Amino acid sequence: MIRIMFVCHGNICRSPMAEFIMKKLVNDEGLSEQFLIRSSATSTEEIWHGQGNPVYPPAKAELKKHGISADGKYAVQLQASDYDKYDYLIGMDTMNIRNMKRILGADKEEKIYKMMTFAGRSDDVADPWYSGDFRTTYNDIDEACRGLLKYLKERNEI
Ligand code: 4NP
């Protein structure tokens, strides 16, 4: 079982997009049973009295264009205990990585990654929060998810 946690600031745009794109890629290859895929936030901005907000409507709409549903997903915050529960903890940008380390502690097992490294890139996933450009975000995340799947195959993890 490969356990993946995608992480962003609010868990309503980028990391849920990554969660559901990765689930789709894995499902299309008949590999769903070998994976546990979740997403979470470094902040509590989208969580009120323990109840998380749903995926942001434009992010949901972008996923829907590609035949992907994000129904039933609500924002949750990353927990320190998640470090032992996941094999790959993947942040969308450099600030996410910094905040993840604050929550998870020192990355002793080197499980924390920045998303676009799986596409051979050192930049951040395009943040749609201010740009409103969800298409570029989708493309970045799709590229990285495909790269991650390839990486796992090359390492004989699946
Ligand atoms: P996300 O987007 O981190 O991709 O889910 C954001 C959501 C909320 C905020 C910023 C980015 N916010 O500032 O509340």
Side-chain angles (χ1 to χ4, degrees):
M1 175 74 77
I2 297 169
R3 303 162 301 168
I4 303 170
M5 174 67 91
F6 293 110
V7 182
C8 66
H9 183 75
N11 193 216
I12 58 164
C13 298
R14 294 163 295 173
S15 63
M17 288 175 81
E19 174 184 341
F20 290 99
I21 290 169
M22 193 67 192
K23 281 179 173 167
K24 173 77 158 49
L25 290 178
V26 158
N27 189 53
D28 285 352
E29 297 204 18
L31 299 169
S32 293
E33 256 116 82
Q34 294 188 51
F35 283 86
L36 174 70
I37 304 169
R38 296 285 185 271
S39 65
S40 60
T42 56
S43 77
T44 54
E45 304 236 28
E46 301 295 335
I47 304 163
W48 298 92
H49 304 293
Q51 175 59 54
N53 286 331
V55 178
Y56 196 48
K60 259 190 127 164
E62 188 62 38
L63 290 171
K64 207 170 175 197
K65 281 187 204 166
H66 300 268
I68 301 172
S69 166
D71 287 348
K73 167 63 188 172
Y74 298 92
V76 293
Q77 193 181 24
L78 179 69
Q79 304 294 312
S81 56
D82 288 328
Y83 192 76
D84 290 332
K85 293 182 183 162
Y86 291 87
D87 307 306
Y88 292 88
L89 297 122
I90 306 174
M92 301 295 123
D93 64 29
T94 301
M95 194 177 75
N96 297 156
I97 303 289
R98 201 157 48 233
N99 289 325
M100 286 164 74
K101 287 180 179 167
R102 200 170 293 149
I103 293 169
L104 301 170
D107 183 16
K108 285 188 188 139
E109 294 172 57
E110 299 187 344
K111 295 178 177 184
I112 298 177
Y113 299 81
K114 195 165 85 159
M115 186 69 164
M116 294 316 298
T117 60
F118 293 109
R121 291 166 44 179
S122 58
D123 59 340
D124 296 339
V125 169
D127 187 348
W129 190 247
Y130 296 106
S131 68
D133 179 2
F134 286 80
R135 185 155 72 140
T136 303
T137 302
Y138 184 95
N139 290 339
D140 278 356
I141 292 171
D142 185 64
E143 187 183 343
C145 284
R146 286 173 195 278
L148 172 57
L149 196 51
K150 187 163 172 272
Y151 173 86
L152 295 171
K153 285 178 182 169
E154 283 168 1
R155 283 170 49 106
N156 293 318
E157 289 197 35
I158 44 172

